[in-house]
Amino acid sequence: MTLVDDTVSETGSATRARSRSSAWTAVCRLDDLEVERGRAALLGDRQIALFLLHDGRVHATANLDPYSGANVMSRGIVGTRGDAPTVASPMYKQVFDLRTGVCLDTQGKEQRMLPVWPVAVNGEGTVFIRDGGPV
């Protein structure tokens, strides 16, 4: 789905990578998400994890934990580090910034990134993910 009007407001990491593909894919309704509880969805053949924060922002990351190789990030613990919204892996407890995918606490392992996607929510409450791969 390609959005060509101004009815979509970008949230979370969506303000980055405006030069990427302009194709957006509807993945769910905002009402389908629970605050600080992850939800898994398919974007093409890739599993993503969606997170709705208390302030209404929605973030999308890979559901694949870069340390364990398991599709479990949607079951992670949502929190904050300073002003950064985070998710902690339910496997080995690495903590990732939901905005950038940077691992803030590697638990003694090498640095790895969690892929993130731009997210937008339109006026009708539909959540969209920008196609074209992670940012």
Side-chain angles (χ1 to χ4, degrees), residues 24-45:
W24 293 84
T25 300
V27 291
C28 68
R29 303 263 319 136
L30 191 58
D31 296 345
D32 295 331
L33 303 177
E34 293 180 63
V35 174
E36 294 196 353
R37 293 229 152 162
R39 289 284 191 258
L42 282 176
L43 184 60
D45 60 353

Side-chain angles (χ1 to χ4, degrees), residues 1 3 7-11 24-33 50 58 119-129:
M1 167 175 270
L3 301 179
T7 61
V8 173
S9 62
E10 295 182 350
T11 64
W24 293 84
T25 300
V27 291
C28 68
R29 303 263 319 136
L30 191 58
D31 296 345
D32 295 331
L33 303 177
L50 296 166
V58 179
V119 177
V121 179
N122 72 5
E124 290 79 43
T126 302
V127 177
F128 294 87
I129 304 298

Side-chain angles (χ1 to χ4, degrees), residues 36-114:
E36 294 196 353
R37 293 229 152 162
R39 289 284 191 258
L42 282 176
L43 184 60
D45 60 353
R46 183 177 240 169
Q47 289 189 34
I48 60 169
L50 296 166
F51 300 94
L52 173 62
L53 304 183
H54 280 290
D55 63 6
R57 289 179 297 155
V58 179
H59 292 274
T61 72
N63 198 33
L64 185 69
D65 179 340
Y67 289 93
S68 72
N71 283 303
V72 295
M73 292 308 296
S74 63
R75 296 174 185 238
I77 299 168
V78 176
T80 58
R81 289 275 173 101
D83 65 344
T86 61
V87 62
S89 168
M91 296 297 286
Y92 302 128
K93 311 306 183 236
Q94 282 83 9
V95 177
F96 299 90
D97 185 327
L98 285 170
R99 302 168 303 182
T100 63
V102 170
C103 186
L104 302 175
D105 186 350
T106 64
Q107 298 293 325
K109 305 280 185 182
E110 67 196 47
Q111 179 65 253
R112 295 187 184 168
M113 297 285 291
L114 180 65

